[in-house]
């Protein structure tokens, strides 16, 4: 099942946890667990959506909240290779 | 198993928020003790009670999703079960999240301690449309499963009955997950190698599995235990089968699927949540873009219809009033002081501050969209759109961060392995209109186009994205070819706005803005003013006038005088300075008067549009440039980026001026 997920991600598109859960016929929570496993193995990585202190004092820094606190995953080269 | 010990020892395990503590509290009552696990900041709760005349000692293990030792909670849980060897593990699982909860069970079953399952929250599961069959689950896993509603005290008694029975009498072998078939031989070979050296009390098969999973703690343990020659062989196997982590995990997920196939019925397809209903439109590849365009139009419309009159009121009654009062109060004072305060400070910072209502509404709209859960969808549909037009790859995620601020966008490019693709992403990132650039556009569109500010803002927000897409598609074909990668974004549930949260967010952003107005914008305003009066006191012969003289030929190409060009140049320090500098330059030598009429009197609509286009495409602020240097490690790429964007801005301004002159 986790390999199915990796193969799905290797196609290269945008997904939500919901759309992946539907595609794999499992719960979103389980997809999240699979992503955790894949991240542990270096097959996917999570993006740092924070300003990392770079925009301290910027009046617009709060607007980075566009993606703050949301987790975003992407496939690594190792992940793509494993999927193939 | 409990023979020779005083009473039965139980470990209570489970993932966070499954009702484990409720069970613990019900069983122990006041007979519990809370401390910390040795060397950890994780809370240790243990207690004792008597059940049917039998003394029971119970330890409430911290909530853990799995046993990978990735967190202190996971380490504590697995170390306790391995080293303390309780008689039984009572695993509490949430029936409404059965699949994920079974992941921990899959890991617990790999350890020798018998496990009994408390299937908690079956009422919640039913409310959410799940049907769970405890008996079917029990038959599938081969261990006792007790349905419970711990919050109501239902099933807890039966749960402890079953646990004590298993502790006394032992349990049948459960159906454990197995590593994927193609790696079984590897597992067995490795087990043969390491088994003689696995120290007590670690189970050899568990240690072997963890080695294949790349568990750092177990790997270090075995590296110390194994003779060098054996370790070399083991390490060689591990390096050859680096992908075994997938095989181990696959085994667990396949096991979960088998266990739940008959025991779990998910909500019917017709039962969809409100979030799913809204997302069917909001994240639809085409409809989602229309929704986003409409949302932006509403935001800009609201900003101008409400903020515009407020801005005029502040200009008329506050800034001009203050300028008049200062002029009178300083009438007998030195000219330079009056000029500094009226033309420099009020002309720059004062002008910027009149736009506070517009910014407040803009910030509030963004905070509202964020709070109700829409912002992530906005990014998601844009991502899909960009995929659709062919610009895809890992560059997209960092680019999206740029909508907030270009700095994290550029830093986010670190996720791209290919140096060439990373470089392209960094060079393109400043074309994503950051919040500061959008705020300046929002303010100045109102100044140049009071009757059609909403439409102009809406169109110009898209302009840099179109340029980015065109450049990106070309570069994608030529440079980032083949680097396609998926993104998975977490979408929060939609919910009603929390006005307090939104108010706090807007307040914080306005405070930060005021801080910037009092520091960077004030400094630049004073410097710009000084350059307009030094050394002669006349703007035409001032240092700024000399700079303007050199810039004038460029400005003529776009229908602009030198003042707007200087304003754009000062936006390099901070984007907001474009407005403040216009304020200083158009009020220099006079009392502070409204900026908008002065600008509209000098610049034609075509020139105004050219100014806005140039501003949207111009080089990013100094912080972004510094990060470009930091991330590329080269001044060459900084100059390439600055040169490319300056050229794009100039060309964009020229084209906008000539096309607009022809059309308008």
């Amino acid at each position: 099942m986790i390999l199915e997920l990796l193969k799905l991600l290797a196609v290269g598109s945008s997904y939500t946890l919901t759309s992946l859960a539907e595609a794999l016929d499992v719960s979103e929570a389980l997809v999240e667990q699979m992503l955790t496993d894949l991240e542990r193995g270096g097959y996917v990585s999570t993006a740092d959506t924070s300003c990392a202190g770079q925009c301290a004092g910027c009046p617009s820094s709060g607007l980075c909240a566009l993606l703050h606190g949301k987790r975003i995953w992407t496939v690594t080269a190792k992940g793509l290779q494993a999927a193939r | 198993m409990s023979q020779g010990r005083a009473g039965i020892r139980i470990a209570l395990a489970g993932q966070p928020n499954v009702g484990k503590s409720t069970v613990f509290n019900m069983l122990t009552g006041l007979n519990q003790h809370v401390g910390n696990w040795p060397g950890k900041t994780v809370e240790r709760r243990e207690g004792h009670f008597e059940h049917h005349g039998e003394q029971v000692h119970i330890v409430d293990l911290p909530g853990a999703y799995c046993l990978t030792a990735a967190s202190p909670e996971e380490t504590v849980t697995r170390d306790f079960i391995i080293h303390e060897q309780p008689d039984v593990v009572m695993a509490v699982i949430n029936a409404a999240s059965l699949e994920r909860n079974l992941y921990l069970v899959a890991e617990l079953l790999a350890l020798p301690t018998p496990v009994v399952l408390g299937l908690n929250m079956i009422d919640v599961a039913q409310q959410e449309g799940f049907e769970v069959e405890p008996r079917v689950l029990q038959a599938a896993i081969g261990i006792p499963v007790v349905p419970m509603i711990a919050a109501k005290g239902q099933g807890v008694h039966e749960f402890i009955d079953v646990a004590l029975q298993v502790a006394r009498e032992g349990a049948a072998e459960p159906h454990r997950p197995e590593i994927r078939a193609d790696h079984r031989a590897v597992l067995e070979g490795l087990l043969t190698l390491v088994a003689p050296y696995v120290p007590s009390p670690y189970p050899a098969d568990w240690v072997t599995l963890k080695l294949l999973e790349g568990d750092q703690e177990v790997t270090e343990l075995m590296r110390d235990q194994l003779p060098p020659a054996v370790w070399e062989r083991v390490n060689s196997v591990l390096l050859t089968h680096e992908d075994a982590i997938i095989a181990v995990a696959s085994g667990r997920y396949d096991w979960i699927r088998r266990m739940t196939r008959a025991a779990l019925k998910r909500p019917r397809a017709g039962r969809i949540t409100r979030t799913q209903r809204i997302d069917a439109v909001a994240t639809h590849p085409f409809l989602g873009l229309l929704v986003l365009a409409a949302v932006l139009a509403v935001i800009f419309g609201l900003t101008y219809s409400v903020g515009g009159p407020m801005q005029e009121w502040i200009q008329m009654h506050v800034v001009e009033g203050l300028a008049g009062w200062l002029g009178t109060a300083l009438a007998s004072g030195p000219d330079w002081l009056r000029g500094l305060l009226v033309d420099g400070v009020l002309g720059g910072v004062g002008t910027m501050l009149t736009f506070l209502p517009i910014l407040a509404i803009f910030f509030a709209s963004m905070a509202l969209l964020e709070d109700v859960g829409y912002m992530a969808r906005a990014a998601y549909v844009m991502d899909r759109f960009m995929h659709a037009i062919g610009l895809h790859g890992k560059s997209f995620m960092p680019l999206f961060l740029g909508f907030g601020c270009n700095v994290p966008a550029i830093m986010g490019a670190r996720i791209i392995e290919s140096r060439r693709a990373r470089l392209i992403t960094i060079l393109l990132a400043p074309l994503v209109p950051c919040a500061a650039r959008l705020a300046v556009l929002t303010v100045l569109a109102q100044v140049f186009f009071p009757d059609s500010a909403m439409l102009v803002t809406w169109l110009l927000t898209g302009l840099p994205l179109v340029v980015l897409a065109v450049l990106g598609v070309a570069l994608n074909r030529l440079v980032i070819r083949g680097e396609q990668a998926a993104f998975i974004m977490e979408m929060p549930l939609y919910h009603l706005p929390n006005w307090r949260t939104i108010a706090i967010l807007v307040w914080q952003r306005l405070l930060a803005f005021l801080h910037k107005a009092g520091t960077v914008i004030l400094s630049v305003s004073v410097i710009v003013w000084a350059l307009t009066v030094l050394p002669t006191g006349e703007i035409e012969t001032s240092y700024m006038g000399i700079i303007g003289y050199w810039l004038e030929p460029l400005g003529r190409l776009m229908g602009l005088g030198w003042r707007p060009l200087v304003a754009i140049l000062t936006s390099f320090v901070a984007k907001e300075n474009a407005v403040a500098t216009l304020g200083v330059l158009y009020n220099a030598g006079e009392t502070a008067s409204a900026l908008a009429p002065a600008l509209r009197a000098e610049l034609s609509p075509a020139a105004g549009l050219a100014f806005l286009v140039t501003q949207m495409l111009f080089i990013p602020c100094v912080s972004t440039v510094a990060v470009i240097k930091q991330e590329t490690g080269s001044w060459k790429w900084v100059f390439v980026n600055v040169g490319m964007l300056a050229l794009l801005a100039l060309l964009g301004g020229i084209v906008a001026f000539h096309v607009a002159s022809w059309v308008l």
Side-chain angles (χ1 to χ4, degrees):
Chain A
M1 200 195 302
I2 195 168
L3 205 56
E4 282 172 47
L5 172 63
L6 201 53
K7 283 182 177 165
L8 206 56
L9 299 182
V11 173
S13 184
S14 309
Y15 299 96
T16 62
L17 289 176
T18 316
S19 63
L20 286 173
E22 276 169 14
L24 296 171
D25 193 24
V26 294
S27 65
E28 283 182 38
L30 198 65
V31 173
E32 232 179 300
Q33 180 65 52
M34 283 191 240
L35 289 169
T36 306
D37 276 337
L38 289 174
E39 190 183 353
R40 198 156 46 88
Y43 297 94
V44 300
S45 60
T46 48
D48 180 7
T49 57
S50 70
C51 296
Q54 294 287 325
C55 32
C58 170
S60 314
S61 62
L63 294 180
C64 308
L66 179 69
L67 292 168
H68 272 180
K70 317 288 180 304
R71 284 170 302 166
I72 306 174
W73 295 266
T74 184
V75 191
T76 61
K78 184 180 175 185
L80 285 175
Q81 202 181 352
R84 284 165 197 149
Chain B
M1 219 166 179
S2 60
Q3 286 168 359
R5 287 181 189 160
I8 289 175
R9 299 189 329 133
I10 290 176
L12 193 60
Q15 293 188 348
N17 308 316
V18 292
K20 199 162 52 68
S21 296
T22 311
V23 174
F24 178 78
N25 290 333
M26 284 186 70
L27 291 173
T28 58
L30 294 174
N31 299 318
Q32 53 176 274
H33 168 72
V34 181
N36 267 17
W37 291 90
K40 312 259 185 214
T41 51
V42 182
E43 192 177 76
R44 177 184 175 126
R45 305 204 317 149
E46 54 190 311
H48 59 88
F49 60 95
E50 195 180 296
H51 191 77
H52 298 318
E54 204 151 14
Q55 278 299 317
V56 181
H57 181 84
I58 185 165
V59 176
D60 184 13
L61 296 171
Y65 288 104
C66 54
L67 300 181
T68 54
S71 71
E73 289 80 6
E74 291 166 12
T75 309
V76 162
T77 300
R78 76 184 204 183
D79 283 355
F80 180 83
I81 297 172
I82 290 170
H83 294 283
E84 303 293 326
Q85 298 180 350
D87 297 313
V88 63
V89 173
M90 289 171 74
V92 182
I93 58 174
N94 177 357
S97 181
L98 186 62
E99 287 169 319
R100 178 148 201 196
N101 277 243
L102 282 179
Y103 191 88
L104 176 66
V105 177
E107 290 239 60
L108 289 171
L109 291 178
L111 294 167
T113 307
V115 179
V116 294
L117 285 189
L119 186 62
N120 196 19
M121 300 187 191
I122 50 171
D123 53 339
V124 178
Q126 277 166 2
Q127 280 163 18
E128 292 182 10
F130 292 97
E131 287 177 41
V132 187
E133 294 286 346
R135 288 183 183 200
V136 178
L137 191 63
Q138 176 168 303
I141 307 179
I143 61 173
V145 176
V146 181
M148 297 194 308
I149 307 175
K152 295 179 184 168
Q154 294 174 16
V156 177
H157 196 77
E158 291 79 358
F159 190 25
I160 189 69
D161 274 348
V162 170
L164 293 182
Q165 189 185 351
V166 167
R168 277 192 305 268
E169 301 167 13
E173 275 294 295
H175 302 133
R176 295 189 167 95
E178 286 182 25
I179 193 168
R180 206 175 59 208
D182 59 350
H183 276 71
R184 271 179 211 152
V186 181
L187 179 74
E188 281 161 21
L190 201 62
L191 178 62
T192 312
L193 273 174
V194 302
Y197 305 98
V198 174
S200 177
Y202 289 95
D205 45 2
W206 181 83
V207 164
T208 315
L209 205 62
K210 286 289 161 190
L211 277 174
L212 277 174
E213 269 192 274
D215 187 296
Q216 204 178 342
E217 209 176 283
V218 173
T219 306
E220 281 168 18
L221 171 83
M222 290 315 294
R223 191 167 41 212
D224 292 343
Q225 296 291 326
L226 293 169
V230 181
W231 168 248
E232 221 165 274
R233 288 177 64 193
V234 167
N235 198 33
S236 159
V237 173
L238 295 179
L239 288 174
T240 313
H241 298 281
E242 218 188 2
D243 61 337
I245 185 171
I246 296 278
V248 175
S250 278
R252 289 189 192 123
Y253 291 113
D254 290 344
W255 177 85
I256 290 169
R257 181 170 268 177
R258 283 201 310 278
M259 297 303 109
T260 54
R261 190 173 292 148
L264 173 70
K265 281 186 190 147
R266 283 202 204 81
R268 288 187 302 279
R271 189 190 166 99
I272 51 172
T273 62
R274 186 185 304 162
T275 290
Q276 284 170 318
R277 263 200 302 272
I278 302 173
D279 273 352
V281 178
T283 62
H284 187 274
F286 176 67
L287 294 177
L289 283 171
L290 292 183
V291 170
L292 177 59
V295 165
L296 285 177
V298 169
I299 287 178
F300 294 140
L302 190 74
T303 303
Y304 293 126
S305 59
V306 180
M310 291 167 79
Q311 185 266 330
E312 283 170 19
W313 188 89
I314 294 178
Q315 174 68 43
M316 201 178 294
H317 293 94
V318 181
V319 176
E320 288 180 16
L322 197 59
W325 178 81
L326 270 175
T328 311
L330 298 173
S332 55
D335 285 349
W336 68 265
L337 183 62
R338 194 170 59 248
L340 171 68
L341 293 179
V342 175
D343 296 335
V345 177
L346 266 183
V349 179
T351 302
M352 196 64 225
L353 291 182
T354 63
F355 294 102
L356 217 54
I358 286 181
L359 291 174
I361 295 168
F362 180 68
F363 288 155
S365 308
M366 291 295 176
L368 174 72
L369 291 178
E370 171 65 22
D371 192 57
V372 297
Y374 178 70
M375 276 309 207
R377 271 89 184 172
Y380 180 67
V381 290
M382 283 303 293
D383 186 33
R384 296 194 81 170
F385 167 68
M386 292 301 181
H387 270 86
I389 62 168
L391 179 59
H392 39 206
K394 288 188 181 174
S395 46
F396 246 110
M397 187 166 39
L399 289 181
F400 274 113
L401 297 175
F403 281 107
C405 171
N406 288 170
V407 169
I410 288 159
M411 294 183 72
R414 288 177 189 179
I415 62 160
I416 305 166
E417 285 98 355
S418 150
R419 178 172 158 72
R420 203 157 58 145
R422 189 166 62 241
L423 197 56
I424 295 295
T425 306
I426 288 173
L427 296 181
L428 289 178
L431 279 169
V432 180
C434 71
R437 217 188 274 259
L438 281 179
V440 172
L441 171 68
T442 312
V443 164
L444 290 179
Q446 166 83 354
V447 169
F448 288 117
F449 302 96
D451 300 327
S452 51
M454 190 188 94
L455 181 66
V456 171
T457 311
W458 192 68
L459 290 173
L460 289 188
T461 300
L463 172 75
L465 293 175
V466 172
V467 175
L468 170 71
V470 171
L471 279 176
V473 168
L475 292 168
N476 184 54
R477 297 245 164 98
L478 299 170
V479 183
I480 323 176
R481 201 168 29 193
E483 279 213 7
Q484 297 184 19
F487 293 97
I488 309 112
M489 284 183 62
E490 186 182 35
M491 299 286 169
L493 293 175
Y494 289 110
H495 57 79
L496 290 172
N498 181 331
W499 298 109
R500 188 180 149 77
T501 309
I502 293 169
I504 291 172
L505 268 173
V506 173
W507 176 243
Q508 285 172 342
R509 287 169 193 174
L510 285 178
L511 272 186
F513 176 77
L514 288 172
H515 178 257
K516 194 172 191 178
T519 52
V520 180
I521 297 175
L522 175 64
S523 312
V524 173
S525 297
V526 169
I527 292 169
V528 169
W529 171 80
L531 290 173
T532 61
V533 294
L534 293 173
T536 59
E538 293 298 323
I539 193 166
E540 284 74 17
T541 50
S542 66
Y543 294 128
M544 193 59 90
I546 296 167
I547 296 169
Y549 173 78
W550 288 106
L551 288 174
E552 213 152 23
L554 272 183
R556 271 201 295 274
L557 296 171
M558 298 182 270
L560 299 173
W562 62 268
R563 287 176 174 90
L565 284 189
V566 169
I568 288 174
L569 280 182
T570 58
S571 72
F572 174 63
V573 180
K575 290 290 139 196
E576 295 87 341
N577 277 323
V579 182
T581 303
L582 284 175
V584 175
L585 293 178
Y586 280 90
N587 294 327
E590 304 163 17
T591 53
S593 58
L595 172 65
L599 273 173
R600 284 199 288 268
E602 184 185 302
L603 302 179
S604 66
L609 188 70
F611 178 85
L612 292 179
V613 167
T614 309
Q615 194 273 137
M616 289 305 283
L617 298 174
F618 193 57
I619 55 176
C621 68
V622 67
S623 310
T624 307
V625 171
V627 174
I628 293 175
K629 164 72 178 68
Q630 175 193 305
E631 296 298 301
T632 59
S634 150
W635 281 111
K636 182 180 87 177
W637 291 114
V638 171
F639 290 126
V640 166
N641 187 247
V642 167
M644 177 185 87
L645 291 170
L647 189 65
L648 264 178
L650 181 66
L651 289 176
I654 293 170
V655 170
F657 174 68
H658 289 284
V659 172
S661 300
W662 181 59
V663 173
L664 296 174

